[in-house]
Amino acid sequence: MRHIKLLRYTLFITFILVLVSCTDTLIGDEGKLDEDIYLNYQTKTDLELPFEEEWYIFNGGKTHKEGAHHFISRGGGRYAYDMVIVRDRKTHSGNGSKNEDYYCFDKRLNAPADGKIIEVVNNIEDNQPGAIRNNSGNYIIIDHQNGETSIMAHLKKGSILVAVGDTVVKGQEVGKTGNSGNSTEPHLHYHLQVTSGKLEGLGLPAQFLNYYEDDILIERGEPVRNQKVRKTK
């Protein structure tokens, strides 16, 4: 698929830059203190998967192999998930030339936990599949008021149902999956980070509660690349 080729090329270039400039800053690769603090981090927030139906983990995990975002040594996205819906080993019907071809496009997205909305962007046009914009697209930041915030990004233009200052509860609909910003096809980008009003807070591992992972019940865990996951309810 085109987006996979582009992703591989981007990852290769990023890998070279990381090796040259900041290998010694990579969490879990060189810094023992970082490894102790963050690779063993226990999520404070009681998170649930932020969607209905069964979704596929396209990127996610604590290793370079599992997560494209793992190459980011600074910023919130280090342990981020990219999630799509897959049917018959494809993310879309037809030739995938339209956002509407993608199974996850316009799907309901929920707050993964209780919190307060501290930032919203809702006016960025969705990309055509294969295109990309150099911005974060439409997103929300939920402050869980315990030192952790959730970021949900690349949402559909105009679909976000919450505003700055709103209080949300776990499972509440907050928007729809889109293809805005730095995205080549519709998907949900989710990551957990330290409390910050920005997207560049320090990223944290995110453990979810009570979900099925490839039809196996997981009481608390971190999905990784190539797994299919769904909520228990």
Side-chain angles (χ1 to χ4, degrees), residues 153-225:
H154 307 311
L155 276 60
K156 181 181 178 182
K157 179 185 178 182
S159 73
I160 296 175
L161 302 175
V162 293
V164 173
D166 286 354
T167 297
V168 295
V169 297
K170 181 188 297 186
Q172 176 180 335
E173 183 176 1
V174 293
K176 306 280 189 181
T177 314
N179 188 28
S180 58
N182 186 19
S183 172
T184 57
E185 74 169 69
H187 72 284
L188 171 64
H189 168 107
Y190 171 83
H191 74 261
L192 189 74
Q193 66 178 41
V194 298
T195 297
S196 171
K198 301 179 181 179
L199 294 175
E200 297 302 320
L202 183 63
L204 300 170
Q207 291 118 35
F208 295 93
L209 304 180
N210 301 319
Y211 65 95
Y212 286 101
E213 172 189 293
D214 297 331
D215 294 323
I216 298 173
L217 178 62
I218 305 296
E219 293 184 359
R220 181 185 178 93
E222 297 176 35
V224 297
R225 188 174 186 177

Side-chain angles (χ1 to χ4, degrees), residues 118-165:
I118 59 173
E119 190 167 345
V120 171
V121 173
N122 197 25
N123 61 354
I124 306 297
E125 295 289 341
D126 287 280
N127 305 324
Q128 289 300 308
I132 194 168
R133 288 186 173 88
N134 188 27
N135 59 54
S136 301
N138 303 306
Y139 65 88
I140 64 173
I141 301 180
I142 305 173
D143 183 354
H144 299 301
Q145 300 182 317
N146 59 4
E148 298 176 345
T149 55
S150 285
I151 285 77
M152 303 171 69
H154 307 311
L155 276 60
K156 181 181 178 182
K157 179 185 178 182
S159 73
I160 296 175
L161 302 175
V162 293
V164 173

Side-chain angles (χ1 to χ4, degrees), residues 17-217:
L17 292 175
V18 167
L19 284 181
V20 170
S21 63
C22 57
T23 302
D24 61 345
T25 69
L26 291 177
I27 297 173
D29 295 333
E30 299 290 342
K32 185 62 168 64
L33 179 60
D34 286 344
E35 182 173 334
D36 288 343
I37 294 174
Y38 299 111
L39 287 187
N40 299 316
Y41 183 82
Q42 296 297 303
T43 305
K44 299 174 186 176
T45 309
D46 290 339
L47 296 173
E48 71 173 18
L49 295 173
F51 41 69
E52 312 294 325
E53 304 181 48
E54 182 179 76
W55 286 56
Y56 176 82
I57 307 299
F58 187 77
N59 286 306
K62 293 177 178 176
T63 70
H64 291 333
K65 181 179 180 180
E66 294 168 335
H69 300 281
H70 192 255
F71 290 93
I72 303 172
S73 60
R74 296 182 177 87
R78 184 171 175 78
Y79 299 111
Y81 293 96
D82 288 326
M83 297 177 276
V84 296
I85 293 177
V86 171
R87 297 172 184 165
D88 297 324
R89 299 185 180 182
K90 296 179 64 177
T91 59
H92 58 81
S93 61
N95 61 14
S97 62
K98 301 179 297 183
N99 286 321
E100 290 77 12
D101 292 340
Y102 290 78
Y103 301 125
C104 71
F105 184 71
D106 201 35
K107 290 293 186 180
R108 168 177 172 157
L109 297 175
N110 304 324
D114 299 349
K116 183 177 181 179
I117 304 297
I118 59 173
E119 190 167 345
V120 171
V121 173
N122 197 25
N123 61 354
I124 306 297
E125 295 289 341
D126 287 280
N127 305 324
Q128 289 300 308
I132 194 168
R133 288 186 173 88
N134 188 27
N135 59 54
S136 301
N138 303 306
Y139 65 88
I140 64 173
I141 301 180
I142 305 173
D143 183 354
H144 299 301
Q145 300 182 317
N146 59 4
E148 298 176 345
T149 55
S150 285
I151 285 77
M152 303 171 69
H154 307 311
L155 276 60
K156 181 181 178 182
K157 179 185 178 182
S159 73
I160 296 175
L161 302 175
V162 293
V164 173
D166 286 354
T167 297
V168 295
V169 297
K170 181 188 297 186
Q172 176 180 335
E173 183 176 1
V174 293
K176 306 280 189 181
T177 314
N179 188 28
S180 58
N182 186 19
S183 172
T184 57
E185 74 169 69
H187 72 284
L188 171 64
H189 168 107
Y190 171 83
H191 74 261
L192 189 74
Q193 66 178 41
V194 298
T195 297
S196 171
K198 301 179 181 179
L199 294 175
E200 297 302 320
L202 183 63
L204 300 170
Q207 291 118 35
F208 295 93
L209 304 180
N210 301 319
Y211 65 95
Y212 286 101
E213 172 189 293
D214 297 331
D215 294 323
I216 298 173
L217 178 62

